[in-house]
């Protein structure tokens, strides 16, 4: 029962409690999961697009980024269909707030990653995935819990990169932490796979309901954590 229209260049938040269907919705939009109904990208039915065409138009930054046992440089370039210059790679890293970290690694961009990026921190892996997505320069960016399970500083770095994209690109951000979607042009709230409200952060708080309840609970937990410190 989801009817969702996202105009180009808008920043959209997808929110709701754990298990509400946020990631399933993204799997439908990005084609790994079949669904009833119709999904259009730029007016074109998603089913008519090849995986290659979809990858050119939609960049997905997942909760667990895909990194290979290869150099940092090749991991940032992964999936590119054209030759990219070292300057482009460094610029993508800079925009993702990972350039300084890379320069401190032995060999810099030639540093060899372990499979899955195991010799990097969680925040570094996420920012490396963001650099790769930025290098692709896609019209649509989807972030599926891309700031979960990382430290606050890394989360702030990634959110800064996302906010720089907003307005220039279409950005869809799934986040269990509602503070990350407060600046979205529109927030869609899900509950057990069904729509449970939509609007700006301020409008949803004024409406009350699930979003306002989740926000109040999260704010109470954050305030409790600050007091405990």
């Amino acid at each position: 029962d989801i009817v969702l229209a996202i105009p180009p260049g808008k920043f959209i938040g997808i929110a709701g409690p754990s298990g509400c269907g946020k990631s399933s919705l993204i799997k439908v939009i990005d084609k790994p999961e079949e669904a009833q109904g119709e999904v259009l990208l730029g007016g074109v039915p998603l089913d008519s697009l090849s995986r290659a065409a979809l990858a050119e138009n939609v960049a997905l930054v997942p909760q667990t980024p895909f990194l290979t046992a290869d150099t940092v440089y090749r991991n940032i370039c992964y999936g590119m269909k054209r030759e990219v210059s070292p300057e482009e790679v460094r610029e993508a890293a800079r925009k993702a707030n990972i350039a300084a970290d890379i320069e401190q690694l032995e060999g810099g961009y030639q540093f060899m990653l372990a499979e899955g990026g195991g010799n990097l921190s969680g925040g570094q892996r996420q920012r490396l995935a963001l650099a790769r997505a930025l290098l692709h320069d896609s019209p649509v960016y989807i972030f599926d819990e891309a700031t979960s399970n990382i430290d606050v500083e890394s989360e702030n770095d990634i959110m800064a990169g996302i906010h720089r994209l907003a307005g220039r690109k279409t950005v869809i951000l799934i986040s269990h932490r509602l503070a990350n979607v407060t600046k979205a042009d529109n927030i869609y709230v899900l509950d057990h796979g069904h729509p449970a409200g939509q609007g700006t952060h301020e409008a949803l708080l004024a409406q009350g309901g699930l979003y306002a309840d989740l926000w109040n609970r999260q704010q109470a937990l954050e305030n409790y954590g600050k007091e405990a410190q």
Side-chain angles (χ1 to χ4, degrees):
D1 301 320
I2 294 176
V3 178
L4 179 62
I6 302 175
K10 292 297 182 181
F11 176 19
I12 302 300
I14 308 291
S18 178
C20 71
K22 299 187 296 293
S23 293
S24 294
L25 175 62
I26 293 308
K27 289 177 183 177
V28 170
I29 294 174
D30 204 38
K31 212 175 177 178
E33 195 164 292
E34 295 295 325
Q36 293 180 335
E38 188 174 41
V39 181
L40 304 175
L41 178 62
V44 179
L46 209 64
D47 290 341
S48 68
L49 295 175
S50 66
R51 289 298 307 174
L54 186 60
E56 288 178 7
N57 286 280
V58 179
L60 174 65
V61 181
Q63 181 174 351
T64 304
F66 173 74
L67 298 173
T68 64
D70 207 336
T71 64
V72 168
Y73 187 93
R74 290 185 180 276
N75 269 278
I76 294 177
C77 295
Y78 185 88
M80 291 294 293
K81 302 301 182 185
R82 63 173 180 84
E83 288 294 323
V84 295
S85 69
E87 290 75 18
E88 288 179 285
V89 174
R90 286 195 290 267
E91 178 65 9
R94 185 189 66 77
K95 290 180 178 177
N97 294 313
I98 187 66
D101 292 48
I102 294 172
E103 289 165 4
Q104 291 177 3
L105 297 172
E106 185 177 353
Y109 287 85
Q110 297 308 311
F111 178 78
M112 186 65 67
L113 296 186
E115 190 66 37
N119 49 349
L120 296 179
S121 70
Q124 288 172 327
R125 290 194 293 271
Q126 290 288 14
R127 283 179 282 149
L128 203 62
L130 177 58
R132 176 195 293 164
L134 294 175
L135 186 63
H136 279 256
D137 195 30
S138 302
V140 179
Y141 282 83
I142 299 175
F143 299 90
D144 186 3
E145 297 286 11
T147 64
S148 62
N149 303 318
I150 59 176
D151 58 89
V152 173
E153 184 177 356
S154 294
E155 181 178 35
N156 291 338
D157 285 341
I158 292 171
M159 286 308 305
I162 292 173
H163 288 144
R164 282 194 293 269
L165 278 175
R168 298 190 301 108
K169 305 288 185 177
T170 303
V171 174
I172 303 172
L173 172 65
I174 289 178
S175 181
H176 70 282
R177 188 164 180 263
L178 299 185
N180 289 334
V181 300
T182 57
K183 295 182 180 179
D185 297 306
N186 208 3
I187 302 168
Y188 289 85
V189 187
L190 299 179
D191 186 22
H192 294 94
H194 298 284
Q198 65 171 287
T200 63
H201 171 70
E202 293 77 13
L204 286 167
L205 288 183
Q207 292 170 18
L210 178 60
Y211 183 88
D213 183 51
L214 289 171
W215 173 261
N216 291 332
R217 276 190 272 169
Q218 288 186 12
Q219 289 299 106
L221 284 173
E222 289 189 15
N223 291 335
Y224 177 78
K226 291 176 182 176
E227 291 173 2
Q229 291 176 359

Tab-separated table of all heavy atoms in Angstrom, residues 20-47:
chain	number	residue	atom	x	y	z
A	20	CYS	N	10.275	-2.519	10.302
A	20	CYS	CA	9.072	-1.921	9.714
A	20	CYS	C	9.027	-2.051	8.192
A	20	CYS	O	8.003	-1.781	7.571
A	20	CYS	CB	8.958	-0.450	10.104
A	20	CYS	SG	10.189	0.611	9.308
A	21	GLY	N	10.154	-2.441	7.561
A	21	GLY	CA	10.162	-2.598	6.110
A	21	GLY	C	11.005	-1.579	5.374
A	21	GLY	O	10.952	-1.502	4.144
A	22	LYS	N	11.824	-0.801	6.088
A	22	LYS	CA	12.634	0.238	5.442
A	22	LYS	C	13.595	-0.365	4.415
A	22	LYS	O	13.644	0.063	3.260
A	22	LYS	CB	13.422	1.026	6.492
A	22	LYS	CG	12.568	1.767	7.518
A	22	LYS	CD	13.398	2.670	8.419
A	22	LYS	CE	14.394	1.938	9.286
A	22	LYS	NZ	13.775	1.081	10.320
A	23	SER	N	14.369	-1.358	4.839
A	23	SER	CA	15.346	-1.962	3.934
A	23	SER	C	14.669	-2.755	2.823
A	23	SER	O	15.173	-2.804	1.697
A	23	SER	CB	16.316	-2.862	4.714
A	23	SER	OG	17.137	-2.085	5.570
A	24	SER	N	13.528	-3.365	3.114
A	24	SER	CA	12.793	-4.091	2.067
A	24	SER	C	12.334	-3.135	0.971
A	24	SER	O	12.377	-3.465	-0.218
A	24	SER	CB	11.580	-4.814	2.667
A	24	SER	OG	11.996	-5.831	3.552
A	25	LEU	N	11.907	-1.941	1.367
A	25	LEU	CA	11.495	-0.941	0.387
A	25	LEU	C	12.656	-0.576	-0.528
A	25	LEU	O	12.494	-0.469	-1.752
A	25	LEU	CB	10.958	0.302	1.093
A	25	LEU	CG	10.594	1.487	0.188
A	25	LEU	CD1	9.481	1.108	-0.782
A	25	LEU	CD2	10.187	2.695	1.022
A	26	ILE	N	13.841	-0.405	0.048
A	26	ILE	CA	15.017	-0.059	-0.753
A	26	ILE	C	15.384	-1.205	-1.687
A	26	ILE	O	15.799	-0.989	-2.825
A	26	ILE	CB	16.201	0.310	0.158
A	26	ILE	CG1	15.895	1.609	0.897
A	26	ILE	CG2	17.487	0.435	-0.629
A	26	ILE	CD1	15.467	2.762	0.010
A	27	LYS	N	15.221	-2.439	-1.235
A	27	LYS	CA	15.510	-3.592	-2.104
A	27	LYS	C	14.567	-3.628	-3.299
A	27	LYS	O	14.933	-4.098	-4.370
A	27	LYS	CB	15.419	-4.890	-1.298
A	27	LYS	CG	16.561	-5.074	-0.312
A	27	LYS	CD	16.372	-6.345	0.502
A	27	LYS	CE	17.486	-6.489	1.540
A	27	LYS	NZ	17.280	-7.682	2.402
A	28	VAL	N	13.343	-3.145	-3.108
A	28	VAL	CA	12.398	-3.050	-4.225
A	28	VAL	C	12.840	-1.958	-5.192
A	28	VAL	O	12.870	-2.143	-6.410
A	28	VAL	CB	10.975	-2.771	-3.697
A	28	VAL	CG1	10.040	-2.428	-4.856
A	28	VAL	CG2	10.447	-3.977	-2.935
A	29	ILE	N	13.226	-0.793	-4.650
A	29	ILE	CA	13.646	0.326	-5.488
A	29	ILE	C	14.915	-0.023	-6.262
A	29	ILE	O	15.072	0.346	-7.429
A	29	ILE	CB	13.880	1.585	-4.622
A	29	ILE	CG1	12.556	2.057	-4.006
A	29	ILE	CG2	14.492	2.720	-5.450
A	29	ILE	CD1	12.715	3.208	-3.029
A	30	ASP	N	15.821	-0.771	-5.618
A	30	ASP	CA	17.102	-1.089	-6.250
A	30	ASP	C	17.100	-2.457	-6.917
A	30	ASP	O	18.148	-2.961	-7.309
A	30	ASP	CB	18.224	-0.995	-5.217
A	30	ASP	CG	19.569	-0.722	-5.866
A	30	ASP	OD1	19.613	0.056	-6.829
A	30	ASP	OD2	20.571	-1.297	-5.409
A	31	LYS	N	15.940	-3.099	-6.979
A	31	LYS	CA	15.666	-4.280	-7.809
A	31	LYS	C	16.054	-5.659	-7.261
A	31	LYS	O	15.659	-6.664	-7.849
A	31	LYS	CB	16.306	-4.108	-9.197
A	31	LYS	CG	15.534	-4.771	-10.328
A	31	LYS	CD	16.182	-4.443	-11.660
A	31	LYS	CE	15.464	-5.157	-12.806
A	31	LYS	NZ	16.047	-4.822	-14.121
A	32	PRO	N	16.791	-5.807	-6.144
A	32	PRO	CA	17.082	-7.167	-5.692
A	32	PRO	C	15.846	-7.939	-5.233
A	32	PRO	O	15.880	-9.164	-5.154
A	32	PRO	CB	18.047	-6.964	-4.520
A	32	PRO	CG	18.592	-5.605	-4.691
A	32	PRO	CD	17.495	-4.823	-5.313
A	33	GLU	N	14.783	-7.240	-4.889
A	33	GLU	CA	13.603	-7.922	-4.350
A	33	GLU	C	12.375	-7.619	-5.206
A	33	GLU	O	12.106	-6.466	-5.530
A	33	GLU	CB	13.368	-7.465	-2.907
A	33	GLU	CG	12.406	-8.345	-2.135
A	33	GLU	CD	12.497	-8.096	-0.636
A	33	GLU	OE1	13.546	-8.427	-0.051
A	33	GLU	OE2	11.526	-7.568	-0.069
A	34	GLU	N	11.648	-8.661	-5.573
A	34	GLU	CA	10.444	-8.492	-6.380
A	34	GLU	C	9.292	-7.970	-5.526
A	34	GLU	O	9.237	-8.200	-4.325
A	34	GLU	CB	10.042	-9.832	-7.019
A	34	GLU	CG	11.062	-10.355	-8.031
A	34	GLU	CD	11.178	-9.457	-9.247
A	34	GLU	OE1	10.154	-8.879	-9.676
A	34	GLU	OE2	12.303	-9.320	-9.770
A	35	ALA	N	8.382	-7.253	-6.157
A	35	ALA	CA	7.218	-6.728	-5.442
A	35	ALA	C	6.077	-6.520	-6.414
A	35	ALA	O	6.284	-6.393	-7.629
A	35	ALA	CB	7.562	-5.408	-4.758
A	36	GLN	N	4.880	-6.509	-5.874
A	36	GLN	CA	3.725	-6.170	-6.691
A	36	GLN	C	3.698	-4.669	-6.922
A	36	GLN	O	4.286	-3.900	-6.177
A	36	GLN	CB	2.442	-6.621	-5.991
A	36	GLN	CG	2.310	-8.133	-5.872
A	36	GLN	CD	1.024	-8.530	-5.168
A	36	GLN	OE1	0.473	-7.751	-4.399
A	36	GLN	NE2	0.554	-9.733	-5.430
A	37	GLY	N	3.001	-4.260	-7.980
A	37	GLY	CA	2.916	-2.835	-8.270
A	37	GLY	C	3.962	-2.419	-9.288
A	37	GLY	O	4.554	-3.249	-9.980
A	38	GLU	N	4.219	-1.148	-9.362
A	38	GLU	CA	5.114	-0.611	-10.390
A	38	GLU	C	6.100	0.373	-9.771
A	38	GLU	O	5.746	1.186	-8.926
A	38	GLU	CB	4.288	0.100	-11.464
A	38	GLU	CG	5.095	0.532	-12.678
A	38	GLU	CD	4.208	1.103	-13.766
A	38	GLU	OE1	3.270	1.853	-13.432
A	38	GLU	OE2	4.460	0.805	-14.944
A	39	VAL	N	7.327	0.270	-10.205
A	39	VAL	CA	8.372	1.202	-9.790
A	39	VAL	C	8.950	1.835	-11.052
A	39	VAL	O	9.358	1.130	-11.983
A	39	VAL	CB	9.497	0.497	-8.996
A	39	VAL	CG1	10.543	1.513	-8.555
A	39	VAL	CG2	8.936	-0.229	-7.783
A	40	LEU	N	8.973	3.159	-11.086
A	40	LEU	CA	9.493	3.887	-12.242
A	40	LEU	C	10.727	4.685	-11.843
A	40	LEU	O	10.771	5.268	-10.763
A	40	LEU	CB	8.442	4.858	-12.793
A	40	LEU	CG	7.084	4.275	-13.194
A	40	LEU	CD1	6.133	5.399	-13.602
A	40	LEU	CD2	7.234	3.268	-14.323
A	41	LEU	N	11.715	4.719	-12.702
A	41	LEU	CA	12.900	5.544	-12.508
A	41	LEU	C	12.985	6.494	-13.693
A	41	LEU	O	13.202	6.068	-14.828
A	41	LEU	CB	14.157	4.675	-12.426
A	41	LEU	CG	15.491	5.414	-12.271
A	41	LEU	CD1	15.520	6.203	-10.966
A	41	LEU	CD2	16.660	4.437	-12.315
A	42	GLY	N	12.750	7.777	-13.442
A	42	GLY	CA	12.727	8.738	-14.534
A	42	GLY	C	11.632	8.445	-15.539
A	42	GLY	O	11.793	8.701	-16.737
A	43	GLY	N	10.512	7.879	-15.054
A	43	GLY	CA	9.399	7.552	-15.932
A	43	GLY	C	9.539	6.216	-16.634
A	43	GLY	O	8.637	5.791	-17.367
A	44	VAL	N	10.656	5.524	-16.433
A	44	VAL	CA	10.911	4.236	-17.096
A	44	VAL	C	10.678	3.106	-16.088
A	44	VAL	O	11.208	3.148	-14.981
A	44	VAL	CB	12.358	4.172	-17.618
A	44	VAL	CG1	12.634	2.824	-18.281
A	44	VAL	CG2	12.627	5.317	-18.585
A	45	PRO	N	9.876	2.073	-16.463
A	45	PRO	CA	9.658	0.948	-15.551
A	45	PRO	C	10.979	0.280	-15.172
A	45	PRO	O	11.825	0.008	-16.026
A	45	PRO	CB	8.775	-0.010	-16.355
A	45	PRO	CG	8.097	0.867	-17.361
A	45	PRO	CD	9.098	1.925	-17.704
A	46	LEU	N	11.144	0.033	-13.885
A	46	LEU	CA	12.381	-0.552	-13.391
A	46	LEU	C	12.651	-1.919	-14.027
A	46	LEU	O	13.801	-2.274	-14.295
A	46	LEU	CB	12.309	-0.684	-11.862
A	46	LEU	CG	13.626	-0.606	-11.095
A	46	LEU	CD1	14.271	0.757	-11.261
A	46	LEU	CD2	13.400	-0.900	-9.627
A	47	ASP	N	11.594	-2.673	-14.278
A	47	ASP	CA	11.752	-4.012	-14.848
A	47	ASP	C	12.375	-3.986	-16.239
A	47	ASP	O	12.922	-4.995	-16.700
A	47	ASP	CB	10.400	-4.741	-14.913
A	47	ASP	CG	9.887	-5.117	-13.530
A	47	ASP	OD1	10.706	-5.151	-12.592
A	47	ASP	OD2	8.678	-5.371	-13.395
